[in-house]
Amino acid sequence: MVKPVKVGIVGLGTVGSGTVNVLQRNSAEIASRVGRPIEISHIGARRENPNCNIEGIKVSRDIFAVAADPEVDILVELIGGTTVARDLILQAISNGKHIVTANKALIAEHGNEIFTAAHAKGVDVAFEASVAGGIPILKSLGEGLAANHIKWIAGIINGTGNFILTEMREKGRAFADVLAEAQALGYAEADPTFDVEGIDAAHKLTILASIAYGIPLQFSKVYTEGISNLTTEDVEAAEQFGYRIKHLGIAKDTGNGIELRVHPTMIPHSVLLASVNGVMNAIMVDGDAVGPTLFYGAGAGAEPTASSVVADIIELGRALTADHDERVPYLGFHADAMNPAPVLPIDDVVCPFYIRLHVQDKPGVLADITRILSDNSISIEAMQQKDVDGDAPVPILMMTHSVREADLNAALKKIAALDTVLDEIVRIRVELLTA
Ligand code: HSE
């Protein structure tokens, strides 16, 4: 039996409970990725959380008991704040524990001290969840884009601010009104001025810039301007000029040094970042080799943030486990734990379809087509017949409900054989891309 990696989780709020749930739900897959099981061996929390099941796990009300527990290999700090969290992490490091944290303020403001202590003790500190929640932007910068010189980074890295700007633009709502809703929905920081005055974004930009450029964490040097002075009038005027206002964190290498700034920014409608709405986050990175790239996803929330926390636990688990020449398996999974699931044939794919046909304009044509579809159990969601002049072929456009590809093909073959159906039938698969 392989020895599990033992994890102590401190803080059982939104992200803590999400982390417990993801580790439990995906435990087999995660063990295959790490090469050993991950076991939550100790939880430090002032109170339980009904959103997760911690039956059978040791729980301490004194969170420092987790930092002192000799069983714990990795301490996961999810309490937030920069005072108790700092003491906890420094104590855990002095006890030889590796650290995973989602705490952006702590890393941005005390990261240099924490890394120095960790280096002296020979332990790792991982903090993917501290920037843009579920988007793996730190690993992307530090690994996937490591070949590049990063020219600039521009990111929507505060969901609350983006939600406010989106509501002002789309619904003409006033700033204060939308902020109250963001607080009620649980997006905003405990102190919402962190969101609207750009402090939260500045914490995240500090971390991004250090990883992109290798500079020490320098939160106090970030130029920070909030969105609280913006009015719906500004938002509408920007639109009339062909721009959209976004609250961006920007890091740029000018050749003379690095610009670090957070402020409202007008960006052309045509850039993808302009279409990032609501609480979503997105980060553009321009690398000298790769060119512009865009990373998009949920910047907060229980499981999106847990996705990054658990990725760090997996990374540290691998480092603790693996031979040094195989720290990250080539395909992400260990060679002896590959997934045996088959790759499915296209015939078995099930999805809605868009169909376009050209037919002769005479009675009964549509009835023939819909009969064939219904004989093959294909249901139509929407249909449109276009007006044409004279005897020209009539275009018929249809959206189906979900259908197995092989069944659709069989029906289309029969429809194509009708004398009244002219030209080739066009069909396009539809993916709604909702989570
Ligand atoms: N208050 C933050 C936001 C939470 O709105 O993005 C995630 O860091």
Side-chain angles (χ1 to χ4, degrees):
M1 180 65 186
V2 203
K3 193 168 160 278
V5 177
K6 300 217 174 178
V7 171
I9 297 177
V10 179
L12 208 54
T14 304
V15 180
S17 64
T19 299
V20 170
N21 288 332
V22 172
L23 279 172
Q24 288 173 341
R25 188 173 70 238
N26 296 339
S27 63
E29 219 165 326
I30 288 169
S32 295
R33 292 183 196 269
V34 176
R36 289 158 73 178
I38 301 285
E39 182 189 314
I40 305 171
S41 67
H42 199 160
I43 287 176
R46 275 191 234 117
R47 60 190 78 84
E48 314 230 332
N49 186 332
N51 296 322
C52 64
N53 178 0
I54 55 169
E55 219 178 289
I57 303 173
K58 181 175 170 188
V59 179
S60 295
R61 296 288 170 232
D62 170 14
I63 58 172
F64 285 85
V66 182
D69 184 342
E71 286 256 290
V72 168
D73 300 305
I74 301 171
L75 182 135
V76 182
E77 181 273 309
L78 301 172
I79 56 174
T82 51
T83 51
V84 179
R86 172 175 166 271
D87 294 344
L88 177 83
I89 285 179
L90 290 174
Q91 190 162 319
I93 288 172
S94 74
N95 291 335
K97 320 251 172 260
H98 301 278
I99 306 293
V100 172
T101 177
N103 193 330
K104 58 228 158 174
L106 183 69
I107 294 297
E109 294 181 34
H110 301 285
N112 297 324
E113 176 194 16
I114 289 170
F115 299 146
T116 303
H119 183 72
K121 230 16 207 175
V123 296
D124 276 324
V125 181
F127 44 93
E128 180 65 63
S130 65
V131 179
I135 306 174
I137 187 62
L138 302 187
K139 290 193 205 312
S140 300
L141 281 170
E143 294 173 34
L145 297 176
N148 290 262
H149 173 71
I150 304 299
K151 297 201 269 184
W152 52 263
I153 298 173
I156 295 171
I157 45 182
N158 181 268
T160 301
N162 202 43
F163 175 67
I164 292 171
L165 290 179
T166 304
E167 290 287 299
M168 284 170 77
R169 177 175 53 80
E170 288 183 350
K171 301 182 187 153
R173 294 175 64 191
F175 181 90
D177 175 33
V178 190
L179 174 59
E181 187 184 342
Q183 286 175 284
L185 290 170
Y187 302 139
E189 294 296 297
D191 176 354
T193 59
F194 274 47
D195 297 298
V196 299
E197 298 306 341
I199 300 159
D200 178 75
H203 282 142
K204 294 166 182 167
L205 186 71
T206 303
I207 299 169
L208 281 172
S210 288
I211 293 189
Y213 294 115
I215 55 176
L217 296 153
Q218 297 166 78
F219 169 67
S220 61
K221 294 195 180 148
V222 181
Y223 172 80
T224 306
E225 197 181 296
I227 56 170
S228 53
N229 292 329
L230 292 177
T231 61
T232 45
E233 198 184 0
D234 303 318
V235 173
E236 281 161 17
E239 294 292 315
Q240 280 159 12
F241 286 116
Y243 290 88
R244 185 149 296 165
I245 301 177
K246 291 290 176 191
H247 198 199
L248 297 188
I250 298 171
K252 191 186 281 184
D253 183 356
T254 67
N256 294 323
I258 313 291
E259 289 176 2
L260 291 184
R261 45 196 171 93
V262 172
H263 50 75
T265 313
M266 278 167 65
I267 55 175
H269 279 155
S270 53
V271 302
L272 279 173
L273 215 50
S275 303
V276 174
N277 290 321
V279 292
M280 299 308 281
N281 281 198
I283 299 142
M284 277 189 86
V285 180
D286 189 11
D288 68 341
V290 71
T293 57
L294 181 67
F295 299 82
Y296 170 88
E303 292 216 358
T305 310
S307 169
S308 288
V309 169
V310 174
D312 279 345
I313 295 171
I314 290 170
E315 184 187 330
L316 294 185
R318 280 172 174 153
L320 288 172
T321 304
D323 311 345
H324 261 260
D325 57 359
E326 209 206 345
R327 277 170 77 121
V328 179
Y330 299 119
L331 293 175
F333 286 71
H334 280 265
D336 59 357
M338 299 295 285
N339 185 347
V343 175
L344 298 171
I346 188 75
D347 265 351
D348 288 344
V349 169
V350 175
C351 65
F353 279 81
Y354 161 90
I355 301 168
R356 174 167 56 72
L357 325 109
H358 288 160
V359 301
Q360 287 172 4
D361 193 7
K362 56 187 215 184
V365 175
L366 211 51
D368 287 341
I369 293 166
T370 51
R371 183 182 37 76
I372 294 173
L373 290 174
S374 90
D375 287 349
N376 286 271
S377 307
I378 296 165
S379 146
I380 300 167
E381 198 206 6
M383 184 156 69
Q384 207 183 85
Q385 181 177 326
K386 295 273 185 195
D387 280 334
V388 289
D389 293 326
D391 286 332
V394 179
I396 294 179
L397 316 175
M398 279 188 258
M399 299 292 300
T400 73
H401 285 287
S402 280
V403 50
R404 190 171 156 265
E405 173 128 4
D407 296 343
L408 183 92
N409 286 345
L412 290 187
K413 201 167 163 197
K414 288 182 205 151
I415 292 171
L418 294 171
D419 291 339
T420 49
V421 173
L422 316 163
D423 306 329
E424 219 184 316
I425 301 174
V426 169
R427 84 230 205 303
I428 301 175
R429 291 171 203 95
V430 177
E431 291 291 349
L432 301 177
L433 300 181
T434 46

